[in-house]
Amino acid sequence: MMTVDPPVKDETRTLVDALLAEQRDLTAVERFSQWHDTGQKSSASYRHLLPLTTPKSGEQYAFEVNLDQCSGCKACVTACHSLNGLEETETWRSVGLLISPMEKHAEHPSSIAELRRVDGTRNTKHAVQHHVTTACHHCADPACLNGCPVLAYDKDPQTGIVRHLDDQCIGCQYCVMKCPYEVPKYSSRLGIVRKCDMCSQRLAVGEAPACVQACPSEAIRITLVEQSEVQNKFRDGSTRNTEHGTRNTFLPDSPNPRLTLPTTRYISKQTPANLIAADHDALRLDQPHWPLVVMLVLTQSAAGLFLAVSLLNSTGFKNGQVQLSAVGFGFLVIGLTASVLHLGQPLKAWRSFLGWRKSWLSREIILFNLFAFAAFVSLLKPSWLPLAAAIGFLGVFASAMIYVDTGRPFWLPRFAFGNFFGTTLLLGATFAAVTLGWTGKRTGANLAAQTQFAALIATIIRTALFIWRRLELRIADRNPQSPIHFNALVIRELLTWTTPTRTGLFVVSTLFGVMAIFNFAAAAPWWASIAALTTFSSEIIGRYIFFAASASKRMPGGVA
C-alpha cells in the first residue's frame, strides 16, 4: 500500500514573499483587460447589458447603475475619455463616494443617533459605503435644454438621449449653471460646452457605450424607462422628494430630482437614506464669471439712472435730463460689451434670441437690446424716457430670473430679486447725485436740491441693503437648516476678505454720502463722487460673491 506523506510546511516563506506573491496577482481590471484582449470577450457578450428592443412611445434609454457592483476602479472614466477624444482635464463621467455618517462623524454622538433614525428604511447601525459612477442623466425635463438661448441642445424624440449640438453653441455656459449635476463641461480651447451623449452612434448599431463595455464588474448597463413614470416619481409623487425632505429617492445626498427629472437608475440591495457624500462638508468656490459681474452691475446702474431721469421728467424738471440719460446709456453700452467677453463664440451671439420661448437668458438679451434702442432714442426724444425705464426694469427682472431658474439656494427669488433691484435703485440714485452735482457745477444751473435729495435716497437704500444682507448671512451662518447655510460658510471661510472690505466701503460711502447731503464745504459733487466710487466697488464685490459663493449640492464626489 502506498502512503502519502503530509505536505511539509515551507518554513522559509516570509511575509515579504507573501506580499510579493500577492502583487503578482492581477487586479480585476487587469484580468478583464487580458480577457478582452485575447478575444474571449466578444461584442455579443455585451448584449445582456443593452435593452432587447428600442424605446417605444413614451420610453427612452437610461443608464442603470448597480451600486453594489461598482468598485470605483474608474475604468468607465478612462474609456469615456479615450473613446470621445476628450481634453486632458475634461471628463464626461466621474466616480464619487457615498458613505454612512458613522464613517465621517463617528466621534459625534449625535451622528450615531441619527444613524438609528432612518425614516422609512432599515435601521442602519453599521458603516456603509457605495462608489457612485455618474454621467449625464438624460433627464426627462433637461435644464440644459430649457435654458440654452441658442437651441444648442436636442432631446431625441425616439431615444430620449439629450445631445449637445457643438456647431450651434456660443459658449455662454448657462447650461453649466442650470444643470444641478454639473454635466456640461466648458472647453476654453474650443469655446464651447460638450457633454455625454450615451455614445448614441454606438447604440444605433447595437454596440454598448464605452463606459458600459469598460466596466469589469458590469455595474453599468443601458435600460428603458417610462418618462411618465419618472415624472410621477420625482415631481408628481410624494413631497418626500424635496431638497429638505426626509428622503431623496433618486440618490442620497444628491440634487433635488424635481429640478430636471433624471432618468438614471441607481439600484442596490442596501442603500440607507441617510448616506452622505464623501465631500458633503467640503466648501468650494464656483466660477466668478467676471464679465457677467461687470455686465450685471453696469446694466442695473443704467436701469436705475433711467428710472431717475424718468421721474425727473414726470415732475416737469428738465435740467440734467440729457446728462443723466447719456451716462445711463454709456453704462448700458459698456455693460453689454462686457457680456460678450463671457462668450466662447462671440461671433455667434446674434443667435441668442432663438430660445426665447424657454430661456430666460434669451429673454434678457432681447430686453437689454430693446433697452439700448429705447435709451438711444430717448437721448433725442425725451418722451421715450418712461418706455426706456420700463424696459430697463424688465431687463433687470429677466436677469434675476436667469439665476432663480437654476434652483440654486443662493439664487432663490428673495436673494436674486432683492440684490438685483436693490443694486438698481442704489446705483441709480448714487450716480444721479454725481451726475446732477457736476452738471450744476459745470452749467451754473441750481441743481443743489436735486443732488442732495438723490444723495439722501442713496444713503437710505444703501443702509437698508447693508442691514438686510448682513442679517441674511448672519442668520444663515448660525442656522444649519437655512437653505443658504453652506453658502454663508463659504463666504466666512473662503471669502474672508469680502465682509470687512464691504463693511469698510459702506462706512466710507455713507460718510461721504452724508457730506453730500449737507453740501459740506460747498463740495457736494466731490463727496457724491467718492460715495459713488466706493458704492460701485462694493456692489462689484457683492456680485462677485453672488457667483463665487453660489455652489450648491451636487452628485457625490470625494476620493473614490
PDB file of all heavy atoms in Angstrom, residues 418-434:
ATOM      1  N   GLY A 418     -33.912  90.683  -4.542  1.00  0.00           N
ATOM      2  CA  GLY A 418     -33.503  91.680  -3.550  1.00  0.00           C
ATOM      3  C   GLY A 418     -32.190  92.338  -3.898  1.00  0.00           C
ATOM      4  O   GLY A 418     -32.046  93.567  -3.815  1.00  0.00           O
ATOM      5  N   ASN A 419     -31.216  91.526  -4.319  1.00  0.00           N
ATOM      6  CA  ASN A 419     -29.908  92.078  -4.657  1.00  0.00           C
ATOM      7  C   ASN A 419     -29.928  92.846  -5.976  1.00  0.00           C
ATOM      8  O   ASN A 419     -29.349  93.929  -6.080  1.00  0.00           O
ATOM      9  CB  ASN A 419     -28.889  90.940  -4.736  1.00  0.00           C
ATOM     10  CG  ASN A 419     -28.356  90.535  -3.375  1.00  0.00           C
ATOM     11  OD1 ASN A 419     -27.671  91.308  -2.712  1.00  0.00           O
ATOM     12  ND2 ASN A 419     -28.692  89.335  -2.932  1.00  0.00           N
ATOM     13  N   PHE A 420     -30.592  92.310  -6.999  1.00  0.00           N
ATOM     14  CA  PHE A 420     -30.559  92.966  -8.305  1.00  0.00           C
ATOM     15  C   PHE A 420     -31.332  94.279  -8.308  1.00  0.00           C
ATOM     16  O   PHE A 420     -30.830  95.307  -8.784  1.00  0.00           O
ATOM     17  CB  PHE A 420     -31.115  92.024  -9.367  1.00  0.00           C
ATOM     18  CG  PHE A 420     -30.136  90.959  -9.815  1.00  0.00           C
ATOM     19  CD1 PHE A 420     -29.124  90.530  -8.976  1.00  0.00           C
ATOM     20  CD2 PHE A 420     -30.224  90.396 -11.067  1.00  0.00           C
ATOM     21  CE1 PHE A 420     -28.225  89.556  -9.378  1.00  0.00           C
ATOM     22  CE2 PHE A 420     -29.329  89.418 -11.484  1.00  0.00           C
ATOM     23  CZ  PHE A 420     -28.327  88.998 -10.633  1.00  0.00           C
ATOM     24  N   PHE A 421     -32.552  94.271  -7.771  1.00  0.00           N
ATOM     25  CA  PHE A 421     -33.314  95.519  -7.752  1.00  0.00           C
ATOM     26  C   PHE A 421     -32.766  96.487  -6.703  1.00  0.00           C
ATOM     27  O   PHE A 421     -32.862  97.706  -6.870  1.00  0.00           O
ATOM     28  CB  PHE A 421     -34.795  95.235  -7.524  1.00  0.00           C
ATOM     29  CG  PHE A 421     -35.506  94.770  -8.763  1.00  0.00           C
ATOM     30  CD1 PHE A 421     -35.895  93.447  -8.913  1.00  0.00           C
ATOM     31  CD2 PHE A 421     -35.762  95.639  -9.807  1.00  0.00           C
ATOM     32  CE1 PHE A 421     -36.534  93.016 -10.065  1.00  0.00           C
ATOM     33  CE2 PHE A 421     -36.398  95.228 -10.966  1.00  0.00           C
ATOM     34  CZ  PHE A 421     -36.785  93.902 -11.096  1.00  0.00           C
ATOM     35  N   GLY A 422     -32.176  95.935  -5.624  1.00  0.00           N
ATOM     36  CA  GLY A 422     -31.524  96.800  -4.649  1.00  0.00           C
ATOM     37  C   GLY A 422     -30.367  97.543  -5.267  1.00  0.00           C
ATOM     38  O   GLY A 422     -30.203  98.766  -5.071  1.00  0.00           O
ATOM     39  N   THR A 423     -29.546  96.834  -6.042  1.00  0.00           N
ATOM     40  CA  THR A 423     -28.431  97.476  -6.744  1.00  0.00           C
ATOM     41  C   THR A 423     -28.931  98.495  -7.763  1.00  0.00           C
ATOM     42  O   THR A 423     -28.347  99.577  -7.917  1.00  0.00           O
ATOM     43  CB  THR A 423     -27.577  96.406  -7.454  1.00  0.00           C
ATOM     44  OG1 THR A 423     -27.020  95.518  -6.481  1.00  0.00           O
ATOM     45  CG2 THR A 423     -26.448  97.046  -8.251  1.00  0.00           C
ATOM     46  N   THR A 424     -29.997  98.163  -8.449  1.00  0.00           N
ATOM     47  CA  THR A 424     -30.567  99.082  -9.448  1.00  0.00           C
ATOM     48  C   THR A 424     -30.960 100.412  -8.807  1.00  0.00           C
ATOM     49  O   THR A 424     -30.597 101.495  -9.300  1.00  0.00           O
ATOM     50  CB  THR A 424     -31.796  98.441 -10.114  1.00  0.00           C
ATOM     51  OG1 THR A 424     -31.392  97.246 -10.791  1.00  0.00           O
ATOM     52  CG2 THR A 424     -32.437  99.394 -11.115  1.00  0.00           C
ATOM     53  N   LEU A 425     -31.695 100.353  -7.712  1.00  0.00           N
ATOM     54  CA  LEU A 425     -32.146 101.582  -7.040  1.00  0.00           C
ATOM     55  C   LEU A 425     -30.975 102.321  -6.398  1.00  0.00           C
ATOM     56  O   LEU A 425     -30.887 103.548  -6.474  1.00  0.00           O
ATOM     57  CB  LEU A 425     -33.194 101.232  -5.986  1.00  0.00           C
ATOM     58  CG  LEU A 425     -34.494 100.605  -6.514  1.00  0.00           C
ATOM     59  CD1 LEU A 425     -35.396 100.205  -5.354  1.00  0.00           C
ATOM     60  CD2 LEU A 425     -35.214 101.568  -7.456  1.00  0.00           C
ATOM     61  N   LEU A 426     -30.062 101.553  -5.780  1.00  0.00           N
ATOM     62  CA  LEU A 426     -28.929 102.184  -5.088  1.00  0.00           C
ATOM     63  C   LEU A 426     -28.018 102.909  -6.064  1.00  0.00           C
ATOM     64  O   LEU A 426     -27.706 104.103  -5.874  1.00  0.00           O
ATOM     65  CB  LEU A 426     -28.150 101.111  -4.318  1.00  0.00           C
ATOM     66  CG  LEU A 426     -26.824 101.559  -3.703  1.00  0.00           C
ATOM     67  CD1 LEU A 426     -27.047 102.686  -2.702  1.00  0.00           C
ATOM     68  CD2 LEU A 426     -26.110 100.374  -3.046  1.00  0.00           C
ATOM     69  N   LEU A 427     -27.570 102.222  -7.103  1.00  0.00           N
ATOM     70  CA  LEU A 427     -26.640 102.859  -8.036  1.00  0.00           C
ATOM     71  C   LEU A 427     -27.328 103.904  -8.902  1.00  0.00           C
ATOM     72  O   LEU A 427     -26.690 104.885  -9.314  1.00  0.00           O
ATOM     73  CB  LEU A 427     -25.972 101.797  -8.911  1.00  0.00           C
ATOM     74  CG  LEU A 427     -25.017 100.847  -8.167  1.00  0.00           C
ATOM     75  CD1 LEU A 427     -24.375  99.872  -9.122  1.00  0.00           C
ATOM     76  CD2 LEU A 427     -23.937 101.639  -7.422  1.00  0.00           C
ATOM     77  N   GLY A 428     -28.629 103.719  -9.163  1.00  0.00           N
ATOM     78  CA  GLY A 428     -29.353 104.756  -9.895  1.00  0.00           C
ATOM     79  C   GLY A 428     -29.354 106.058  -9.134  1.00  0.00           C
ATOM     80  O   GLY A 428     -29.040 107.132  -9.684  1.00  0.00           O
ATOM     81  N   ALA A 429     -29.670 106.008  -7.827  1.00  0.00           N
ATOM     82  CA  ALA A 429     -29.681 107.219  -7.001  1.00  0.00           C
ATOM     83  C   ALA A 429     -28.267 107.749  -6.788  1.00  0.00           C
ATOM     84  O   ALA A 429     -28.036 108.969  -6.816  1.00  0.00           O
ATOM     85  CB  ALA A 429     -30.338 106.911  -5.653  1.00  0.00           C
ATOM     86  N   THR A 430     -27.308 106.853  -6.588  1.00  0.00           N
ATOM     87  CA  THR A 430     -25.924 107.270  -6.329  1.00  0.00           C
ATOM     88  C   THR A 430     -25.327 108.008  -7.523  1.00  0.00           C
ATOM     89  O   THR A 430     -24.741 109.098  -7.382  1.00  0.00           O
ATOM     90  CB  THR A 430     -25.059 106.043  -5.988  1.00  0.00           C
ATOM     91  OG1 THR A 430     -25.582 105.400  -4.824  1.00  0.00           O
ATOM     92  CG2 THR A 430     -23.618 106.465  -5.719  1.00  0.00           C
ATOM     93  N   PHE A 431     -25.457 107.436  -8.709  1.00  0.00           N
ATOM     94  CA  PHE A 431     -24.903 108.087  -9.900  1.00  0.00           C
ATOM     95  C   PHE A 431     -25.733 109.294 -10.338  1.00  0.00           C
ATOM     96  O   PHE A 431     -25.204 110.210 -10.988  1.00  0.00           O
ATOM     97  CB  PHE A 431     -24.779 107.076 -11.037  1.00  0.00           C
ATOM     98  CG  PHE A 431     -23.636 106.124 -10.873  1.00  0.00           C
ATOM     99  CD1 PHE A 431     -23.857 104.752 -10.772  1.00  0.00           C
ATOM    100  CD2 PHE A 431     -22.335 106.584 -10.790  1.00  0.00           C
ATOM    101  CE1 PHE A 431     -22.801 103.870 -10.616  1.00  0.00           C
ATOM    102  CE2 PHE A 431     -21.267 105.709 -10.632  1.00  0.00           C
ATOM    103  CZ  PHE A 431     -21.503 104.348 -10.541  1.00  0.00           C
ATOM    104  N   ALA A 432     -27.001 109.316  -9.980  1.00  0.00           N
ATOM    105  CA  ALA A 432     -27.811 110.503 -10.259  1.00  0.00           C
ATOM    106  C   ALA A 432     -27.293 111.691  -9.459  1.00  0.00           C
ATOM    107  O   ALA A 432     -27.220 112.826  -9.970  1.00  0.00           O
ATOM    108  CB  ALA A 432     -29.278 110.238  -9.932  1.00  0.00           C
ATOM    109  N   ALA A 433     -26.921 111.448  -8.187  1.00  0.00           N
ATOM    110  CA  ALA A 433     -26.374 112.530  -7.353  1.00  0.00           C
ATOM    111  C   ALA A 433     -25.084 113.079  -7.951  1.00  0.00           C
ATOM    112  O   ALA A 433     -24.869 114.302  -8.003  1.00  0.00           O
ATOM    113  CB  ALA A 433     -26.127 112.011  -5.934  1.00  0.00           C
ATOM    114  N   VAL A 434     -24.216 112.172  -8.417  1.00  0.00           N
ATOM    115  CA  VAL A 434     -22.945 112.601  -9.023  1.00  0.00           C
ATOM    116  C   VAL A 434     -23.203 113.393 -10.300  1.00  0.00           C
ATOM    117  O   VAL A 434     -22.648 114.493 -10.501  1.00  0.00           O
ATOM    118  CB  VAL A 434     -22.062 111.373  -9.328  1.00  0.00           C
ATOM    119  CG1 VAL A 434     -20.789 111.808 -10.060  1.00  0.00           C
ATOM    120  CG2 VAL A 434     -21.711 110.635  -8.060  1.00  0.00           C
TER     121      VAL A 434
END
